[in-house]
Amino acid sequence: MDDIQEFCRSLEDLTPEERDEELERFKSQCICPICPTYNDCAKKEGELLFCIIGKSDECIKDRNDCMCPPCPFARRLDFGAVHNTYCIRGSELEQKK
Ligand code: SF4
Ligand code: SF4
């Protein structure tokens, strides 16, 4: 089992409230707001951590660049820089399938 699967499994063991708290904590480590693809709509909706939560609901449709490969959170979970653009393509686990 790799780090991303362990991480997602650890979230499943939490109550919904604990999970939301944990996701909020990790959102603070997400560097999407400095990416040219990130937009005002995503900011207003508080959309972040697409690599775990999944793609943007309605806000982000066009890719300009992606800052995910050097993101400290992605490196910590050892994503391997194979996948990116999670806001449009879906989470790391979804792209691995
Ligand atoms: S890998 Fe991308 S989506 Fe995930 S936390 Fe980092 S910048 Fe945000
Ligand atoms: S997931 Fe990647 S492309 Fe999308 S906003 Fe975050 S850094 Fe930019």
Side-chain angles (χ1 to χ4, degrees):
M1 181 180 291
D2 59 23
D3 285 349
I4 178 68
Q5 285 175 315
E6 275 184 35
F7 179 82
C8 289
R9 177 167 289 185
S10 74
L11 289 177
E12 287 171 7
D13 290 339
L14 301 175
T15 65
E17 293 78 18
E18 289 171 334
R19 185 174 188 270
D20 287 347
E21 272 180 32
E22 199 70 344
L23 289 176
E24 285 304 315
R25 194 162 70 82
F26 288 112
K27 279 182 179 181
S28 68
Q29 300 173 26
C30 175
I31 62 172
C32 286
I34 65 169
C35 172
T37 298
Y38 199 73
N39 59 29
D40 288 344
C41 176
K43 183 177 179 182
K44 183 166 171 270
E45 297 299 323
E47 292 187 344
L48 289 165
L49 212 64
F50 304 103
C51 57
I52 301 297
I53 296 172
K55 62 186 173 184
S56 169
D57 283 334
E58 295 292 336
C59 293
I60 303 176
K61 303 290 182 195
D62 301 313
R63 183 188 192 277
N64 292 312
D65 197 353
C66 182
M67 308 301 288
C68 290
C71 166
F73 182 79
R75 293 170 80 113
R76 193 187 119 204
L77 287 185
D78 198 19
F79 286 177
V82 175
H83 306 119
N84 57 53
T85 320
Y86 300 109
C87 57
I88 296 172
R89 297 176 183 160
S91 71
E92 173 70 9
L93 281 183
E94 288 167 338
Q95 292 192 48
K96 275 185 169 213
K97 286 177 186 167

